[in-house]
Amino acid sequence: MDQGSHCTADKELFETVSTFSIASPSDEEQSQPKAEISCQARKENPEKDDLQVSSAFLSPNSSMTTKELQEYWRNEKRQCRQVKLLFEIPSTRIVENHLSKYVLYKIIILQTGSFDSNKSVIERRYSDFEKLHRNLLEEFSEEMEDVTFPKKTLTGNFTEEIINERKLAFKDYLRLLYSMKYIRRSKKFIDFLTRPELREAYGCLRGGQYNKALEILLEVIRLQERLTRRNPVSIVPTLCAIVVCYKDLENPASAFEHGERALSRLHVYTSHRYYIPLLETMITLAYELGKDFLSLQEKLEEWKTKKDPIRVFTLKELAVREYVQ
């Protein structure tokens, strides 16, 4: 992790967080990818949800428990560190079956600043990059104006020379996309890096393969956290899917731990579709573990008095509905 731009005290962080300035587009987009201070105030508002989440996490709530406050300040301190990701494509492999033949590029994503033992590894083929490029052009035509994309060739796509050229081209392509603020925060870019693995994980979950689903989800959540630091609520579904897996694997302690992480991100978003199902699951887990469940029960009762009775899915029912299409 980078050690620059640390907040020296919780009080100072809270008082000064809104005074950070934002680097101009020319500083950020026309040079090498630069580290971004995540707790900077935003002058633009490209995504309403992003702004709402950032605003919510600047205001600790007096009703928060000690653990929730600790998690809140941990999130704040993490967001004040400079964050920069690197993309490497060290190798490829050719996949061939009776229907098609294609090259898979191994992409390693790691955080700069120190030795990254939690690097993320994914594989994508040329057509995946091509689809990403088309999607980004629809939304970011101006930003993508000078971005080149390696063209397909009629022959020689599987030669060592062409594959090596594309390895370097795709590495530079990802580096350049990540250097552009609005692109690296866009759902399309984040989906390119996480969606295939999430679809596989949820497919395993629906099929009752909880160990396999959990293995994939734990890998994806680390990458999601790095990509969505400004919108911590966005990883709640993944955290809840992990809770479901651990619970069905009869590991209530790990389920409760990840449930706390999810709940801390929803403390001001009580209308979120996962809030009540998660709260009900946490009450069950707390009771099973001999932990204090009364405070969780109070939150549930408080919500019920404020909201009209509606059909609420269980946490597992919500999880199996993710990535169905």
Side-chain angles (χ1 to χ4, degrees):
M1 298 288 289
D2 270 352
Q3 298 301 316
S5 299
H6 282 280
C7 297
T8 58
D10 291 349
K11 182 177 180 182
E12 291 178 1
L13 167 67
F14 182 67
E15 292 175 347
T16 63
V17 68
S18 62
T19 67
F20 286 107
S21 60
I22 300 177
S24 66
S26 60
D27 288 334
E28 182 173 21
E29 297 177 13
Q30 295 177 12
S31 61
Q32 294 292 325
K34 294 184 178 179
E36 173 194 356
I37 299 178
S38 298
C39 62
Q40 291 175 336
R42 295 180 61 188
K43 293 182 181 179
E44 302 88 354
N45 182 18
E47 296 181 8
K48 183 178 180 182
D49 290 342
D50 188 358
L51 180 61
Q52 288 175 337
V53 172
S54 299
S55 299
F57 268 72
L58 295 178
S59 304
N61 192 306
S62 60
S63 64
M64 293 166 63
T65 65
T66 300
K67 285 187 176 180
E68 288 173 337
L69 283 168
Q70 289 173 343
E71 178 67 17
Y72 168 85
W73 288 120
R74 276 197 294 269
N75 286 332
E76 286 299 314
K77 289 175 182 178
R78 280 198 296 265
Q79 292 182 44
C80 284
R81 297 183 184 130
Q82 292 186 331
V83 176
K84 183 179 178 182
L85 298 182
L86 289 180
F87 298 85
E88 299 289 342
I89 304 182
S91 62
T92 63
R93 63 187 180 98
I94 297 176
V95 177
E96 188 171 6
N97 52 47
H98 66 286
L99 294 176
S100 63
K101 180 180 180 181
Y102 55 89
V103 178
L104 275 175
Y105 296 85
K106 181 180 180 180
I107 306 168
I108 296 179
I109 307 163
L110 60 160
Q111 190 166 303
T112 60
S114 63
F115 175 71
D116 190 353
S117 60
N118 293 320
K119 61 187 178 184
S120 300
V121 181
I122 60 176
E123 287 186 314
R124 297 293 182 268
R125 54 190 291 187
Y126 182 96
S127 59
D128 296 324
F129 281 97
E130 194 175 38
K131 182 179 178 181
L132 169 67
H133 193 68
R134 287 197 308 269
N135 289 340
L136 291 177
L137 282 173
E138 293 175 359
E139 188 175 352
F140 304 102
S141 56
E142 291 185 8
E143 290 87 344
M144 300 284 290
E145 191 173 27
D146 298 322
V147 178
T148 58
F149 188 82
K151 295 181 180 179
K152 268 187 177 179
T153 58
L154 295 177
T155 59
N157 286 302
F158 300 100
T159 64
E160 185 177 353
E161 180 182 2
I162 293 296
I163 290 174
N164 285 334
E165 286 179 2
R166 287 182 176 171
K167 277 170 55 179
L168 295 174
F170 284 141
K171 173 185 172 181
D172 290 340
Y173 178 72
L174 291 173
R175 177 198 62 80
L176 185 56
L177 293 183
Y178 184 76
S179 73
M180 293 184 276
K181 178 171 59 175
Y182 297 127
I183 288 181
R184 72 167 169 264
R185 294 177 187 169
S186 71
K187 185 177 184 300
K188 293 175 180 178
F189 182 67
I190 294 171
D191 278 353
F192 168 78
L193 297 171
T194 60
R195 189 176 181 86
E197 286 71 24
L198 285 171
R199 288 180 65 88
E200 182 184 359
Y202 279 98
C204 292
L205 191 156
R206 283 189 290 273
Q209 302 176 46
Y210 300 114
N211 280 310
K212 181 62 176 176
L214 186 60
E215 178 185 347
I216 300 171
L217 289 167
L218 290 174
E219 288 289 331
V220 175
I221 193 68
R222 289 197 292 265
L223 180 55
Q224 279 186 308
E225 287 177 322
R226 294 172 178 179
L227 293 167
T228 61
R229 286 176 180 268
R230 296 183 65 89
N231 188 5
V233 174
S234 64
I235 69 170
V236 166
T238 306
L239 285 171
C240 288
I242 292 172
V243 172
V244 169
C245 288
Y246 272 129
K247 189 171 184 295
D248 279 46
L249 290 169
E250 299 182 356
N251 186 341
S254 294
F256 190 83
E257 176 189 345
H258 286 80
E260 283 189 313
R261 290 173 59 188
L263 204 56
S264 70
R265 287 160 169 80
L266 294 178
H267 67 274
V268 294
Y269 292 93
T270 58
S271 296
H272 195 282
R273 70 187 190 283
Y274 271 91
Y275 180 70
I276 292 304
L278 176 60
L279 203 52
E280 291 175 337
T281 299
M282 291 295 285
I283 291 171
T284 301
L285 289 169
Y287 181 80
E288 183 178 349
L289 293 167
K291 294 179 178 290
D292 173 33
F293 63 89
L294 294 179
S295 59
L296 296 170
Q297 188 70 47
E298 288 173 2
K299 289 182 180 180
L300 180 62
E301 295 302 325
E302 180 183 357
W303 183 90
K304 287 181 178 179
T305 60
K306 293 180 179 179
K307 304 288 184 180
D308 294 328
I310 56 174
R311 165 105 162 82
V312 177
F313 293 108
T314 66
L315 197 66
K316 189 171 183 178
E317 286 173 338
L318 275 182
V320 299
R321 282 167 169 76
E322 297 282 352
Y323 294 91
V324 172
Q325 297 181 348

